[in-house]
Amino acid sequence: MRAAPLAGGVSGPDVLRSLLDTVLDALRAGAEHRGAPLPAGGPAAVTGQVRGLRPALPEQGTGADEALRSVVHALAAGAADPAHPLCAAHLHTPPLALAVAADLAASALNPSMDSWDQAPAASALEALVTAALAAEVFPTAPRPDALVTTGGTESNQLALLLARERHGTVHAVVGANAHHSFHRAAWLLGLPRPVTVPAPNGTIDPVALDEALTDLPGPLLVAATAGTTDAGLIDPLPEIADLCATHGADLHVDAAYGGPVLFSAPHRPLLTGLDRARTVTVDLHKLGWQPAAAGLLAVQDATDLAPLGHTADYLNADDDTDAGLPDLLGRSLRTTRRPDVVKTAVTLRALGRTGLGALVDACMARARDLADLVEKTPALELYARPTLTTVLFRPHGAPDTTVAKTRRTLLTEGRAVLGRATADGRLWLKATLLNPHATPGDLEEIITLVEGSTPR
């Protein structure tokens, strides 16, 4: 039996070319079959369709073309497609085509980012791109740096780990609006449970934070948020940075959502004070339109990363490092690691700051447009004007059970994907607008669908 062909080398691209035609045809056919932002029928219907692929491990294989056609078709037909303008529930971005194409090259070459001899060019590219992005976050810092991560959860955990290594047992202080990953990270790292301060309007209350920092024994790490998961709100970063300076606390900002707003000239002032943090989380698989995963942890001073240093003789022996081979193990807690920076490098080069900023601006404008429509619709209620690209709204006067049922009806019918969030003690529908190609007509359809699906 002839061995299956490989993706790399001189002949690999020719093999891939014919296989990609099959994949692309199946993607198109699957999307046409679905014909909506997600498949109709709910979990049971989707599971039934996927079970048509049984057995998952046949005795005799079906061949590359059939396997690609059937599996990719089932995947696309049963997808919640973030490229559809009515798929707007989560921070789940429609990836740029050029980033997906770049990701193919990364997969074909398969560099492993744990030693230079597995990723010569990829390691140099990662250093180039992370330096540029760290400078974007900390423009006046003399030695900023950034690590590539799988996303906000890993970045936040790393920030807490680095604080622990600087100070020993550190108390994290978070807002009630903070991402759940801080509580899990403290548990994993054997640290005290984070102290939670009120966020009565969706952002940290500076007075309550001041009281907490006054009462708590140090060392302390304050975790602020620039782009909350529920409503896309930004904590008062300058005030929080002032309080951290007064109380001698370190500041970390979880800007997984809001960080890429730095690319936008008109909206960048929303992040004033971000550069006063010691560490910052940024995700480019949100407002950066990258295929997951594309997270970053930026640090104001590269020396803060020293505790991540690690030696494994087969990967970074001392004599190899002394001879000039780059040591990559201190760039992550992971060993084998994809070159996720490749797609980001292509995107930054292709679009530049101006092009990425224009995409951010377009999504911010769509959020304002949707808020306008909600305000003009008597049957709907708007939570607040959007700060980023998240809009919370609900049927006016409806109980929470009705709001939840409206959302599930749209999901089950495959007509729209809206999220849910609790604010002011009530349940709201959540539209997270990350599609720069969405039109005013798409937004009007969201309003029409919600009105038509709400039980009377």
Side-chain angles (χ1 to χ4, degrees):
M1 181 178 178
R2 185 178 180 184
L6 303 178
V10 174
S11 61
D14 291 330
V15 175
L16 281 172
R17 196 179 311 277
S18 62
L19 295 175
L20 285 176
D21 284 340
T22 301
V23 169
L24 296 176
D25 287 344
L27 282 172
R28 181 187 295 108
E32 289 172 348
H33 178 89
R34 175 174 22 90
L38 80 167
V46 175
T47 299
Q49 292 171 2
V50 171
R51 284 178 176 169
L53 298 172
R54 292 182 297 188
L57 179 60
E59 186 65 31
Q60 298 293 329
T62 62
D65 285 342
E66 189 285 330
L68 283 170
R69 188 179 304 109
S70 60
V71 174
V72 173
H73 183 281
L75 184 68
D81 184 0
H84 194 292
L86 302 188
C87 187
H90 303 286
L91 290 165
H92 179 200
T93 192
L96 296 169
L98 67 92
V100 173
D103 216 22
L104 170 65
S107 292
L109 294 169
N110 204 31
S112 183
M113 304 297 292
D114 49 314
S115 68
W116 183 87
D117 59 353
Q118 299 175 86
S123 61
L125 185 65
E126 182 174 277
L128 181 71
V129 172
T130 52
L133 292 172
E136 198 73 14
V137 177
F138 299 112
T140 62
R143 292 179 298 181
D145 200 354
L147 302 179
V148 175
T149 72
T150 55
T153 295
E154 183 186 353
S155 295
N156 291 338
Q157 181 180 340
L158 278 172
L160 198 51
L161 170 64
L162 293 174
R164 187 193 71 180
E165 294 306 294
R166 286 193 299 272
H167 301 299
T169 300
V170 63
H171 283 83
V173 182
V174 304
N177 59 342
H179 194 261
H180 63 82
S181 58
F182 290 106
H183 297 272
R184 177 170 284 190
W187 168 66
L188 286 170
L189 295 169
L191 293 172
R193 180 178 297 178
V195 174
T196 301
V197 299
N201 297 308
T203 58
I204 288 179
D205 178 359
V207 174
L209 178 61
D210 187 21
E211 293 173 354
L213 295 179
T214 300
D215 295 339
L216 283 170
L220 302 170
L221 172 74
V222 174
T225 305
T228 59
T229 304
D230 278 350
L233 303 178
I234 298 174
D235 284 333
L237 301 180
E239 292 177 73
I240 293 172
D242 288 344
L243 289 172
C244 287
T246 298
H247 292 281
D250 287 350
L251 174 60
H252 169 71
V253 177
D254 178 2
Y257 180 7
V261 171
L262 290 170
F263 298 130
S264 165
H267 294 108
R268 187 184 182 105
L270 288 170
L271 298 180
T272 297
L274 183 69
D275 60 343
R276 296 176 63 185
R278 189 155 187 168
T279 52
V280 174
T281 290
V282 178
D283 278 359
L284 293 175
H285 54 242
K286 295 183 172 72
L287 277 176
W289 299 278
Q290 300 298 289
L296 293 168
L297 176 69
V299 298
Q300 189 172 130
D301 188 336
T303 59
D304 278 355
L305 299 177
L308 299 180
H310 181 67
T311 300
D313 193 58
Y314 74 105
L315 294 174
N316 62 343
D318 289 342
D319 59 322
D320 280 349
T321 302
D322 291 343
L325 294 183
D327 177 1
L328 306 183
L329 279 187
R331 304 294 299 175
S332 177
L333 291 179
R334 293 171 284 154
T335 303
T336 301
R337 182 165 63 87
R338 289 189 82 247
D340 286 318
V341 76
V342 173
K343 61 204 174 195
T344 300
V346 169
T347 300
L348 297 181
R349 184 175 178 85
L351 300 184
R353 184 184 292 105
T354 301
L356 282 164
L359 295 177
V360 171
D361 295 342
C363 291
M364 301 274 274
R366 293 296 78 76
R368 293 192 294 270
D369 292 342
L370 181 58
D372 290 343
L373 287 173
V374 172
E375 288 182 322
K376 294 174 183 176
T377 304
L380 298 178
E381 177 184 356
L382 181 70
Y383 170 67
R385 298 294 302 180
T387 300
L388 294 175
T389 70
T390 301
V391 179
L392 301 186
F393 64 105
R394 68 196 315 276
H396 190 77
D400 287 355
T401 53
T402 296
V403 176
K405 185 174 181 180
T406 297
R407 174 180 177 270
R408 287 193 295 269
T409 296
L410 292 171
L411 288 175
T412 303
E413 294 175 353
R415 302 171 75 187
V417 189
L418 296 174
R420 55 186 288 163
T422 299
D424 287 347
R426 292 186 292 167
L427 184 65
W428 300 79
L429 297 172
K430 177 172 69 171
T432 309
L433 301 173
L434 295 179
N435 189 334
H437 294 281
T439 67
D442 296 324
L443 305 180
E444 291 171 0
E445 188 171 357
I446 290 175
I447 298 297
T448 300
L449 286 172
V450 169
E451 283 191 291
S453 301
T454 300
R456 301 300 178 187

